[in-house]
Coordinates of all heavy atoms in Angstrom, one line a residue:
M289 N 106.6 124.5 102.6 CA 106.5 123.0 102.6 C 106.7 122.5 101.2 O 107.0 121.3 101.0 CB 105.1 122.6 103.1 CG 105.0 121.3 103.9 SD 106.2 121.0 105.1 CE 105.9 119.2 105.3
G290 N 106.6 123.4 100.2 CA 106.6 123.0 98.8 C 107.8 122.1 98.4 O 107.6 121.0 97.8
N291 N 109.0 122.5 98.7 CA 110.2 121.8 98.2 C 110.8 121.0 99.3 O 112.1 120.8 99.3 CB 111.2 122.7 97.6 CG 110.8 123.1 96.1 OD1 110.1 122.3 95.5 ND2 111.2 124.3 95.7
W292 N 110.1 120.4 100.2 CA 110.7 119.7 101.3 C 111.5 118.5 100.9 O 112.5 118.2 101.5 CB 109.6 119.3 102.3 CG 108.5 118.4 101.8 CD1 107.4 118.8 101.2 CD2 108.5 117.0 101.8 NE1 106.7 117.7 100.8 CE2 107.3 116.6 101.2 CE3 109.4 116.0 102.3 CZ2 107.0 115.2 101.0 CZ3 109.0 114.6 102.1 CH2 107.8 114.3 101.5
K293 N 111.2 117.9 99.7 CA 112.0 116.8 99.3 C 113.4 117.1 98.9 O 114.3 116.3 99.0 CB 111.3 116.1 98.1 CG 110.0 115.3 98.5 CD 109.3 114.7 97.3 CE 107.9 114.4 97.7 NZ 107.1 114.0 96.5
T294 N 113.5 118.4 98.3 CA 114.8 118.8 97.9 C 115.5 119.6 99.0 O 116.8 119.8 99.0 CB 114.8 119.7 96.7 OG1 113.8 120.7 96.9 CG2 114.4 118.9 95.5
N295 N 114.8 120.0 100.1 CA 115.4 120.7 101.2 C 115.9 119.9 102.3 O 116.7 120.3 103.1 CB 114.4 121.8 101.7 CG 114.2 122.9 100.7 OD1 115.1 123.2 99.9 ND2 113.1 123.6 100.8
Y296 N 115.3 118.7 102.5 CA 115.6 117.9 103.6 C 116.4 116.7 103.2 O 116.1 116.0 102.3 CB 114.3 117.4 104.3 CG 113.5 118.4 105.1 CD1 112.5 119.1 104.5 CD2 113.9 118.7 106.4 CE1 111.8 120.1 105.2 CE2 113.2 119.7 107.1 CZ 112.2 120.4 106.5 OH 111.5 121.3 107.2
R297 N 117.4 116.5 104.0 CA 118.2 115.2 103.9 C 117.6 114.2 104.8 O 116.9 114.5 105.8 CB 119.6 115.4 104.4 CG 120.4 116.3 103.4 CD 121.8 116.5 104.0 NE 122.5 117.6 103.4 CZ 123.5 117.4 102.5 NH1 123.9 116.2 102.1 NH2 124.1 118.4 102.0
V298 N 117.9 112.9 104.6 CA 117.4 111.9 105.4 C 117.8 112.1 106.9 O 117.0 111.9 107.8 CB 117.9 110.5 105.0 CG1 117.5 109.4 105.9 CG2 117.5 110.2 103.6
S299 N 119.0 112.7 107.1 CA 119.5 112.9 108.4 C 118.7 114.0 109.2 O 118.8 114.1 110.4 CB 121.0 113.3 108.4 OG 121.2 114.4 107.5
D300 N 118.0 114.8 108.4 CA 117.1 115.8 109.0 C 115.8 115.3 109.6 O 115.2 116.0 110.4 CB 116.8 117.0 108.0 CG 118.0 117.7 107.6 OD1 118.9 117.9 108.4 OD2 118.0 118.1 106.4
L301 N 115.5 114.1 109.2 CA 114.2 113.5 109.7 C 114.4 113.2 111.2 O 115.4 112.8 111.6 CB 113.9 112.3 108.9 CG 113.6 112.4 107.4 CD1 113.4 111.0 106.8 CD2 112.3 113.2 107.2
S302 N 113.3 113.4 111.9 CA 113.3 112.9 113.3 C 113.1 111.4 113.3 O 112.6 110.8 112.3 CB 112.2 113.6 114.1 OG 110.9 113.0 113.8
D303 N 113.5 110.7 114.4 CA 113.4 109.3 114.4 C 111.9 108.8 114.3 O 111.7 107.6 113.9 CB 114.0 108.8 115.7 CG 115.5 109.0 115.7 OD1 116.1 109.1 114.6 OD2 116.1 109.0 116.7
T304 N 111.0 109.6 114.7 CA 109.6 109.2 114.7 C 108.8 109.6 113.4 O 107.7 109.2 113.2 CB 108.8 109.7 115.9 OG1 109.0 111.1 115.9 CG2 109.4 109.1 117.2
Q305 N 109.5 110.4 112.5 CA 108.8 110.9 111.3 C 108.6 109.7 110.3 O 109.6 109.0 110.0 CB 109.6 112.0 110.7 CG 109.0 112.5 109.3 CD 107.6 113.1 109.5 OE1 107.5 114.1 110.3 NE2 106.6 112.6 108.8
K306 N 107.4 109.5 109.9 CA 107.1 108.5 108.9 C 106.9 109.1 107.5 O 106.4 110.2 107.4 CB 105.9 107.7 109.3 CG 106.1 106.6 110.3 CD 105.0 105.6 110.3 CE 104.2 105.6 111.5 NZ 103.0 104.8 111.5
L307 N 107.3 108.4 106.5 CA 107.0 108.8 105.1 C 106.3 107.7 104.4 O 106.5 106.5 104.7 CB 108.4 109.1 104.4 CG 109.3 110.1 104.9 CD1 110.6 110.1 104.2 CD2 108.7 111.5 104.7
E308 N 105.3 108.1 103.6 CA 104.6 107.2 102.8 C 105.2 107.1 101.5 O 105.6 108.1 100.9 CB 103.2 107.7 102.5 CG 102.2 107.7 103.6 CD 100.8 108.2 103.1 OE1 100.8 108.8 102.0 OE2 99.9 108.0 103.8
M309 N 105.3 105.9 100.9 CA 105.8 105.7 99.6 C 104.6 104.9 98.8 O 104.2 103.8 99.2 CB 107.0 104.8 99.5 CG 108.2 105.5 100.2 SD 108.8 107.0 99.4 CE 109.8 106.2 98.1
I310 N 104.1 105.6 97.8 CA 103.0 105.0 97.0 C 103.5 104.7 95.6 O 104.0 105.5 95.0 CB 101.8 106.0 97.0 CG1 101.4 106.3 98.4 CG2 100.7 105.4 96.2 CD1 100.6 107.6 98.5
C311 N 103.2 103.5 95.2 CA 103.6 103.1 93.9 C 102.7 103.7 92.8 O 101.5 103.7 93.0 CB 103.5 101.5 93.7 SG 103.9 101.0 92.0
K312 N 103.3 104.4 91.8 CA 102.5 105.1 90.8 C 101.8 104.1 89.9 O 100.9 104.4 89.1 CB 103.4 106.0 90.0 CG 103.9 107.2 90.8 CD 104.9 108.0 89.9 CE 105.5 109.2 90.7 NZ 106.5 109.9 89.9
K313 N 102.3 102.8 89.9 CA 101.8 101.8 89.0 C 100.7 101.0 89.6 O 99.6 100.8 89.0 CB 103.0 100.9 88.5 CG 103.1 100.7 87.0 CD 104.4 100.1 86.7 CE 104.3 98.8 85.9 NZ 105.6 98.1 85.7
C314 N 101.0 100.4 90.8 CA 100.0 99.5 91.4 C 99.4 100.0 92.7 O 98.7 99.3 93.3 CB 100.7 98.1 91.6 SG 101.9 98.1 93.0
S315 N 99.8 101.2 93.1 CA 99.3 101.9 94.3 C 99.6 101.2 95.6 O 99.0 101.4 96.6 CB 97.7 102.0 94.2 OG 97.4 102.8 93.1
R316 N 100.6 100.3 95.5 CA 101.1 99.7 96.8 C 101.6 100.8 97.7 O 102.4 101.7 97.3 CB 102.2 98.7 96.4 CG 102.7 97.9 97.6 CD 103.7 96.9 97.1 NE 104.1 96.0 98.1 CZ 105.3 96.1 98.8 NH1 106.1 97.1 98.5 NH2 105.6 95.3 99.7
L317 N 101.2 100.7 99.0 CA 101.6 101.8 99.9 C 102.5 101.1 101.0 O 102.2 100.1 101.6 CB 100.4 102.3 100.6 CG 100.6 103.3 101.8 CD1 101.2 104.6 101.4 CD2 99.2 103.5 102.4
V318 N 103.7 101.8 101.2 CA 104.6 101.3 102.3 C 105.0 102.5 103.1 O 105.0 103.7 102.6 CB 105.8 100.6 101.7 CG1 105.5 99.2 101.1 CG2 106.6 101.4 100.7
Y319 N 105.2 102.3 104.4 CA 105.7 103.4 105.2 C 107.2 103.1 105.5 O 107.6 102.0 105.7 CB 105.0 103.4 106.5 CG 103.6 103.9 106.4 CD1 102.5 102.9 106.4 CD2 103.3 105.2 106.3 CE1 101.2 103.4 106.2 CE2 102.0 105.7 106.1 CZ 101.0 104.8 106.1 OH 99.7 105.2 106.0
I320 N 107.9 104.2 105.4 CA 109.4 104.1 105.7 C 109.7 105.2 106.7 O 108.9 106.1 106.9 CB 110.2 104.3 104.4 CG1 110.0 105.7 103.8 CG2 110.0 103.2 103.4 CD1 110.9 106.1 102.7
N321 N 110.8 105.0 107.4 CA 111.3 106.1 108.3 C 112.8 106.1 108.2 O 113.4 105.4 107.4 CB 110.8 105.8 109.7 CG 111.3 104.5 110.3 OD1 112.3 103.9 109.9 ND2 110.5 103.9 111.2
K322 N 113.4 107.0 109.0 CA 114.8 107.1 109.0 C 115.6 105.8 109.1 O 116.5 105.5 108.4 CB 115.2 108.1 110.1 CG 116.6 108.7 110.0 CD 116.7 109.7 111.2 CE 118.1 110.3 111.3 NZ 118.2 111.2 112.4
A323 N 115.2 105.0 110.0 CA 115.8 103.7 110.3 C 115.8 102.8 109.1 O 116.8 102.2 108.7 CB 115.2 103.0 111.5
T324 N 114.6 102.7 108.4 CA 114.5 101.8 107.3 C 115.3 102.4 106.1 O 115.7 101.6 105.2 CB 113.1 101.5 106.9 OG1 112.4 102.7 106.7 CG2 112.4 100.7 108.0
I325 N 115.3 103.7 105.9 CA 116.1 104.3 104.8 C 117.6 104.0 105.0 O 118.3 103.7 104.1 CB 115.9 105.8 104.7 CG1 114.4 106.1 104.3 CG2 116.8 106.4 103.6 CD1 114.0 107.5 104.4
C326 N 118.0 104.1 106.3 CA 119.5 104.1 106.6 C 120.0 102.7 106.7 O 121.1 102.5 107.3 CB 119.8 104.9 107.8 SG 119.5 106.7 107.5
T327 N 119.3 101.7 106.2 CA 119.8 100.3 106.3 C 121.0 100.2 105.3 O 121.9 99.3 105.5 CB 118.8 99.3 105.9 OG1 118.2 99.7 104.7 CG2 117.7 99.1 106.9
A328 N 121.1 101.1 104.3 CA 122.3 101.1 103.5 C 123.2 102.3 103.9 O 122.7 103.4 104.1 CB 121.9 101.3 102.0
K329 N 124.5 102.1 103.9 CA 125.4 103.2 104.3 C 125.4 104.3 103.4 O 125.3 104.2 102.2 CB 126.8 102.6 104.4 CG 127.3 102.2 105.8 CD 128.8 102.0 105.8 CE 129.3 101.9 107.2 NZ 130.7 101.7 107.3
G330 N 125.5 105.6 103.9 CA 125.6 106.8 103.1 C 124.3 107.4 102.8 O 124.2 108.5 102.3
R331 N 123.2 106.7 103.0 CA 121.9 107.2 102.6 C 121.4 108.4 103.4 O 120.7 109.2 102.9 CB 120.8 106.1 102.7 CG 120.9 105.0 101.6 CD 119.5 104.6 101.1 NE 119.6 103.4 100.3 CZ 118.9 102.4 100.5 NH1 118.0 102.4 101.5 NH2 119.0 101.3 99.8
E332 N 121.9 108.5 104.6 CA 121.4 109.6 105.4 C 121.9 111.0 104.9 O 121.4 112.0 105.2 CB 121.8 109.4 106.9 CG 123.3 109.3 107.1 CD 123.5 109.2 108.6 OE1 122.7 108.5 109.3 OE2 124.5 109.8 109.1
Q333 N 122.9 111.0 104.0 CA 123.4 112.2 103.3 C 122.6 112.6 102.1 O 122.7 113.7 101.6 CB 124.8 112.0 102.9 CG 125.8 111.8 104.1 CD 125.6 112.9 105.2 OE1 125.5 114.1 104.8 NE2 125.6 112.5 106.4
L334 N 121.7 111.7 101.7 CA 120.9 112.0 100.5 C 119.7 112.8 100.8 O 119.2 112.8 101.9 CB 120.4 110.7 99.8 CG 121.5 109.7 99.3 CD1 120.8 108.4 98.8 CD2 122.2 110.4 98.2
Y335 N 119.3 113.6 99.8 CA 118.1 114.4 99.9 C 116.9 113.5 99.7 O 117.0 112.4 99.0 CB 118.1 115.6 98.9 CG 119.0 116.7 99.4 CD1 120.3 116.7 98.9 CD2 118.6 117.6 100.3 CE1 121.2 117.7 99.3 CE2 119.4 118.6 100.7 CZ 120.7 118.7 100.2 OH 121.6 119.6 100.7
L336 N 115.8 113.9 100.2 CA 114.6 113.0 100.1 C 114.2 112.7 98.7 O 113.7 111.7 98.3 CB 113.4 113.5 101.0 CG 113.7 113.5 102.5 CD1 112.6 114.2 103.2 CD2 114.0 112.1 103.0
D337 N 114.4 113.7 97.8 CA 113.9 113.5 96.4 C 114.8 112.5 95.7 O 114.4 111.8 94.8 CB 113.9 114.8 95.6 CG 115.3 115.4 95.3 OD1 116.2 115.4 96.2 OD2 115.5 115.8 94.1
E338 N 116.1 112.4 96.2 CA 117.0 111.3 95.7 C 116.5 109.9 96.1 O 116.6 109.0 95.4 CB 118.4 111.6 96.1 CG 118.9 112.9 95.5 CD 120.3 113.2 96.0 OE1 120.5 113.7 97.1 OE2 121.3 112.9 95.3
I339 N 116.1 109.9 97.4 CA 115.5 108.6 97.9 C 114.3 108.2 97.0 O 114.1 107.1 96.6 CB 115.1 108.8 99.3 CG1 116.3 109.1 100.2 CG2 114.4 107.5 99.8 CD1 117.4 108.0 100.3
E340 N 113.4 109.2 96.8 CA 112.2 109.0 96.0 C 112.6 108.5 94.6 O 112.0 107.5 94.1 CB 111.4 110.3 95.9 CG 110.1 110.1 95.2 CD 109.3 111.4 95.1 OE1 110.0 112.4 94.7 OE2 108.2 111.4 95.4
K341 N 113.5 109.1 94.0 CA 113.9 108.7 92.6 C 114.4 107.3 92.5 O 114.3 106.6 91.5 CB 115.0 109.7 92.0 CG 114.4 110.9 91.4 CD 115.5 111.8 90.8 CE 115.3 113.2 91.2 NZ 116.6 114.0 91.2
R342 N 115.2 106.9 93.6 CA 115.8 105.6 93.6 C 114.8 104.5 94.0 O 115.1 103.3 93.7 CB 116.9 105.6 94.6 CG 118.1 106.3 94.1 CD 119.1 106.5 95.2 NE 120.1 107.5 94.8 CZ 121.4 107.5 95.0 NH1 121.9 106.5 95.6 NH2 122.2 108.4 94.6
A343 N 113.7 104.9 94.6 CA 112.8 103.8 95.2 C 112.1 103.2 94.0 O 111.6 103.8 93.1 CB 111.8 104.5 96.1
R344 N 111.9 101.9 94.2 CA 111.2 101.1 93.2 C 110.2 100.2 94.0 O 110.6 99.6 95.0 CB 112.1 100.2 92.3 CG 112.9 101.0 91.3 CD 111.9 101.7 90.2 NE 112.7 102.5 89.2 CZ 113.0 103.8 89.4 NH1 112.6 104.4 90.5 NH2 113.7 104.4 88.5
C345 N 109.1 100.0 93.4 CA 108.1 99.1 94.1 C 108.6 97.7 94.2 O 109.2 97.2 93.2 CB 106.8 99.2 93.3 SG 105.5 98.1 94.0
K346 N 108.4 97.1 95.4 CA 108.9 95.7 95.6 C 107.9 94.7 95.3 O 108.1 93.5 95.5 CB 109.4 95.6 97.0 CG 110.7 96.4 97.2 CD 111.4 96.0 98.6 CE 112.7 96.7 98.8 NZ 112.5 98.0 99.3
A347 N 106.7 95.1 94.8 CA 105.7 94.1 94.5 C 106.2 93.3 93.3 O 106.9 93.8 92.4 CB 104.4 94.8 94.1
R348 N 105.9 92.0 93.3 CA 106.4 91.1 92.3 C 106.1 91.6 90.9 O 105.0 91.8 90.5 CB 105.8 89.7 92.5 CG 106.3 88.6 91.6 CD 105.5 87.4 91.8 NE 105.7 86.8 93.1 CZ 106.5 85.7 93.4 NH1 107.0 85.1 92.4 NH2 106.6 85.3 94.6
G349 N 107.2 91.7 90.1 CA 107.0 92.1 88.7 C 106.6 93.5 88.4 O 106.3 93.9 87.3
C350 N 106.5 94.4 89.5 CA 106.0 95.7 89.2 C 107.2 96.7 89.0 O 107.3 97.2 87.9 CB 105.2 96.2 90.5 SG 104.6 97.9 90.3
K351 N 108.0 96.9 90.0 CA 109.2 97.8 89.9 C 108.8 99.2 89.4 O 109.5 99.9 88.8 CB 110.2 97.3 88.9 CG 110.9 96.0 89.3 CD 112.1 95.7 88.5 CE 112.9 94.5 88.9 NZ 112.3 93.2 88.5
G352 N 107.6 99.6 89.8 CA 107.1 101.0 89.4 C 107.8 102.0 90.3 O 108.4 101.8 91.3
Q353 N 107.6 103.3 89.8 CA 108.2 104.4 90.5 C 107.3 104.7 91.7 O 106.1 104.5 91.7 CB 108.3 105.6 89.6 CG 109.5 105.6 88.7 CD 109.9 107.0 88.3 OE1 109.1 107.8 88.0 NE2 111.2 107.3 88.4
M354 N 108.0 105.2 92.8 CA 107.2 105.5 94.0 C 107.1 107.0 94.2 O 108.0 107.7 93.8 CB 108.0 104.9 95.2 CG 108.4 103.4 95.1 SD 107.0 102.3 95.2 CE 106.7 102.2 97.0
R355 N 106.0 107.4 94.8 CA 105.8 108.8 95.1 C 105.9 109.0 96.6 O 105.2 108.2 97.3 CB 104.5 109.3 94.6 CG 104.2 110.8 94.8 CD 103.0 111.3 94.0 NE 101.8 110.6 94.4 CZ 101.1 110.8 95.5 NH1 101.5 111.7 96.3 NH2 100.0 110.1 95.7
M356 N 106.7 109.9 97.1 CA 106.9 110.1 98.5 C 105.9 111.1 99.1 O 105.7 112.1 98.5 CB 108.3 110.5 98.8 CG 108.7 110.6 100.2 SD 110.4 111.3 100.4 CE 111.3 109.8 100.1
A357 N 105.4 110.8 100.2 CA 104.6 111.8 100.9 C 104.9 111.8 102.4 O 105.1 110.7 103.0 CB 103.1 111.6 100.7
M358 N 104.9 113.0 103.0 CA 105.2 113.0 104.4 C 103.9 112.7 105.2 O 102.9 113.3 104.9 CB 105.8 114.4 104.8 CG 106.4 114.3 106.2 SD 107.3 115.9 106.6 CE 108.7 115.8 105.6
V359 N 104.0 111.9 106.3 CA 102.9 111.7 107.1 C 102.9 112.7 108.2 O 103.8 112.8 109.0 CB 103.0 110.2 107.7 CG1 101.8 110.0 108.6 CG2 103.0 109.2 106.6
R360 N 101.9 113.6 108.2 CA 101.8 114.7 109.2 C 101.2 114.1 110.4 O 100.0 113.7 110.4 CB 101.0 115.8 108.7 CG 101.6 116.5 107.5 CD 102.5 117.7 107.9 NE 101.8 118.7 108.7 CZ 101.1 119.7 108.2 NH1 101.1 119.9 107.0 NH2 100.5 120.6 109.0
Q361 N 102.0 114.1 111.5 CA 101.5 113.4 112.7 C 100.4 114.2 113.4 O 99.5 113.6 114.0 CB 102.6 113.1 113.6 CG 103.4 111.9 113.2 CD 104.8 111.8 113.7 OE1 105.3 112.7 114.2 NE2 105.4 110.7 113.5
D362 N 100.4 115.5 113.3 CA 99.3 116.3 113.9 C 98.0 116.1 113.2 O 97.0 116.0 113.8 CB 99.7 117.8 113.9 CG 100.2 118.3 112.6 OD1 100.5 117.5 111.7 OD2 100.2 119.6 112.4
E363 N 98.1 116.0 111.8 CA 96.9 115.7 111.0 C 96.3 114.3 111.3 O 95.1 114.2 111.4 CB 97.2 115.8 109.5 CG 97.2 117.2 109.0 CD 97.4 117.2 107.5 OE1 97.4 116.2 106.9 OE2 97.7 118.3 107.0
M364 N 97.2 113.4 111.5 CA 96.7 112.0 111.8 C 96.0 112.0 113.1 O 94.9 111.4 113.2 CB 97.9 111.1 111.9 CG 98.4 110.7 110.5 SD 99.7 109.5 110.6 CE 98.8 108.0 110.9
S365 N 96.5 112.7 114.1 CA 95.8 112.6 115.4 C 94.4 113.4 115.3 O 93.4 113.0 115.9 CB 96.6 113.2 116.5 OG 97.1 114.5 116.2
G366 N 94.4 114.5 114.5 CA 93.2 115.2 114.3 C 92.1 114.3 113.6 O 91.0 114.3 113.9
F367 N 92.6 113.5 112.7 CA 91.7 112.6 111.9 C 91.1 111.6 112.8 O 89.9 111.3 112.8 CB 92.6 111.9 110.8 CG 91.8 111.0 109.9 CD1 90.8 111.6 109.1 CD2 92.1 109.7 109.9 CE1 90.1 110.8 108.3 CE2 91.3 108.9 109.0 CZ 90.3 109.4 108.2
T368 N 91.9 111.0 113.7 CA 91.4 110.0 114.6 C 90.4 110.6 115.5 O 89.4 110.0 115.8 CB 92.6 109.4 115.5 OG1 93.7 109.2 114.6 CG2 92.2 108.2 116.2
G369 N 90.7 111.9 116.0 CA 89.7 112.5 116.8 C 88.4 112.7 116.2 O 87.3 112.6 116.8
G370 N 88.4 113.1 114.8 CA 87.2 113.3 114.1 C 86.4 112.0 114.0 O 85.1 112.1 113.9
L371 N 87.0 110.9 114.0 CA 86.2 109.6 113.9 C 85.6 109.2 115.2 O 84.6 108.5 115.2 CB 87.2 108.5 113.4 CG 87.6 108.5 111.9 CD1 88.5 107.4 111.7 CD2 86.4 108.4 111.0
A372 N 86.2 109.6 116.3 CA 85.7 109.1 117.6 C 84.3 109.7 117.9 O 83.9 110.7 117.4 CB 86.7 109.5 118.7
Ligands
ZN683 ZN1 103.9 98.7 92.2

């Protein structure tokens, strides 16, 4: 799992896979997926680390760098179960 950002292209993501983008400056958190990444042509050929490098926080006046994390759907369902 270590180098998934350099091993996976956007086109390798499943349609339901979500990624978290967290701003290193203001901690703004946004979720992205294949559809939202591919709003610009040619992006599905990019590796995920290239998407991460290009991403900038959209908060007003911030433009901080974003850190990408994969949202593990099995962990999320386990987490919800633990709360119930
Ligand atoms: Zn920010």
Side-chain angles (χ1 to χ4, degrees):
M289 213 42 198
N291 280 333
W292 59 273
K293 288 176 198 171
T294 51
N295 289 335
Y296 286 98
R297 288 176 198 259
V298 176
S299 55
D300 295 327
L301 295 173
S302 75
D303 290 338
T304 54
Q305 177 65 56
K306 279 201 242 172
L307 299 170
E308 286 182 348
M309 297 293 280
I310 302 156
C311 177
K312 291 176 182 173
K313 227 166 127 185
C314 72
S315 300
R316 183 172 186 264
L317 171 67
V318 290
Y319 289 101
I320 60 171
N321 60 26
K322 197 174 176 180
T324 55
I325 296 169
C326 293
T327 49
K329 259 195 171 178
R331 284 220 193 128
E332 60 179 38
Q333 296 306 318
L334 294 176
Y335 287 93
L336 294 176
D337 73 317
E338 296 176 279
I339 299 292
E340 183 184 48
K341 272 183 228 154
R342 286 166 194 224
R344 288 293 179 273
C345 179
K346 291 194 175 79
R348 183 187 293 255
C350 179
K351 296 194 175 79
Q353 281 205 314
M354 309 290 281
R355 183 168 59 78
M356 181 186 284
M358 193 174 289
V359 178
R360 292 271 302 270
Q361 281 158 350
D362 52 342
E363 277 182 13
M364 282 184 76
S365 55
F367 183 63
T368 316
L371 283 179

